[in-house]
Amino acid sequence: MGPLALIWDVVGAIRQCSRSACRQSAVATLTYVYAESTAVLGPLATYAEPHAYDLCSQHAESLTVPRGWEVLRLAMPTTPQEPGPDDLLALANAVREAASATTETSARHSHPQMEPPAGTEGTRRGHLRILREPS
């Protein structure tokens, strides 16, 4: 398995079949056109849409619709599309963004050590107590 196949496996594994209890990778997207009583089944959409359903090959092949509805089956690719340079660049950019966000977050939360005000050894304010660090 080459590096491109590994990247495809990682990206492909992100979207699973929408059917409950199914853990297979999605290969098709199902959408409904309610005004025309039509279900459209086609290749996996580039992005997950809130009103679309991602289906594995088994559920895509066994799809049934209510009586009176029509199923429009779009041509499905015979093999998964290999990631191209744009896909790899997008993946690299996403990794860089995640890494920089983590670095920025940790930098924001690391405060330099603060010195307590002079002459406040053991002073109590409400439920807080200021203690001077031993020298």
Side-chain angles (χ1 to χ4, degrees), residues 9 13 22 28 38 51 70 91 97 114:
D9 287 345
C22 182
T38 303
H51 300 290
E70 185 178 348
L91 181 60
E97 284 179 25
M114 297 175 63

Side-chain angles (χ1 to χ4, degrees), residues 114-123 125 130-132:
M114 297 175 63
E115 287 291 321
T120 57
E121 187 75 33
T123 302
R125 289 188 172 178
I130 300 174
L131 298 175
R132 188 176 286 285

Side-chain angles (χ1 to χ4, degrees), residues 42-57:
L44 188 62
T46 307
Y47 300 102
E49 296 288 332
H51 300 290
Y53 302 92
D54 295 334
L55 300 176
C56 65
S57 58

Side-chain angles (χ1 to χ4, degrees), residues 15-70:
R15 290 174 54 191
Q16 293 181 340
C17 182
S18 296
R19 297 290 300 260
S20 58
C22 182
R23 297 283 180 218
Q24 299 296 315
S25 294
V27 297
T29 298
L30 171 67
T31 55
Y32 293 103
V33 182
Y34 292 98
E36 298 176 13
S37 300
T38 303
V40 181
L41 183 68
L44 188 62
T46 307
Y47 300 102
E49 296 288 332
H51 300 290
Y53 302 92
D54 295 334
L55 300 176
C56 65
S57 58
Q58 178 187 358
H59 288 118
E61 290 171 12
S62 64
L63 174 72
T64 59
V65 295
R67 188 175 300 166
W69 279 60
E70 185 178 348

